[in-house]
Amino acid sequence: QVRVAESGGDSVQAGGSLTLQCAVSGYIGIDACMAWFRQAPGKKREGVANVYLRRNIKDYVDSVRGRFEISQGKGKMTAVLQMNSLEPEDTAMYYCAVDSFCKGLGDPSLYEYWGQGTQVTVSS
């Protein structure tokens, strides 16, 4: 059974930084992607960043490119989202997700496994 757990959410002021951690247990296959999504109240869930684990290929939504960085953690099935220059618009619940066959950031329904989420709040 695959389990996904996030940590690291907090409240910060605009311009600050946060680091989110995601740990996955269970078998997810060699072609999997780990991704971060976010959902603000009243908005659709949005893909933020993903990493194709086997080849360490990364992708980002345009609104965070250059400010956020996704990386594989020390453990093989961990992913870290480093968030810098945070803006109030980044306020959302952030979810870690796993797609066994890495089909991109555009459609959350393609991701089979999800964590419970961690809240990020950025004040102006």
Side-chain angles (χ1 to χ4, degrees):
Q1 185 175 359
V2 175
R3 298 181 188 273
V4 181
E6 310 97 333
S7 62
D10 206 343
S11 297
V12 296
Q13 290 194 324
S17 298
L18 279 176
T19 303
L20 304 184
Q21 309 261 0
C22 175
V24 176
S25 60
Y27 180 72
I28 60 173
I30 62 171
D31 283 323
C33 271
M34 291 179 68
W36 287 96
F37 286 78
R38 66 186 179 186
Q39 188 165 19
K43 294 191 175 180
K44 291 183 178 180
R45 192 165 293 191
E46 171 190 44
V48 174
N50 73 352
V51 55
Y52 177 32
L53 298 177
R54 187 155 63 105
R55 296 177 62 188
N56 200 33
I57 295 174
K58 305 171 187 181
D59 192 20
Y60 300 89
V61 68
D62 286 345
S63 60
V64 307
R65 198 180 303 274
R67 300 188 297 122
F68 291 11
E69 181 175 2
I70 189 170
S71 60
Q72 296 186 54
K74 290 182 179 180
K76 199 169 187 179
M77 293 194 297
T78 61
V80 177
L81 185 67
Q82 177 64 44
M83 305 188 294
N84 299 320
S85 302
L86 283 161
E87 302 168 352
E89 293 74 21
D90 295 315
T91 295
M93 185 70 79
Y94 283 70
Y95 298 90
C96 182
V98 176
D99 173 3
S100 297
F101 297 101
C102 205
K103 295 178 285 298
L105 270 178
D107 185 354
S109 70
L110 298 176
Y111 285 73
E112 302 106 303
Y113 308 105
W114 290 83
Q116 295 297 308
T118 187
Q119 179 68 38
V120 171
T121 303
V122 184
S123 57
S124 56

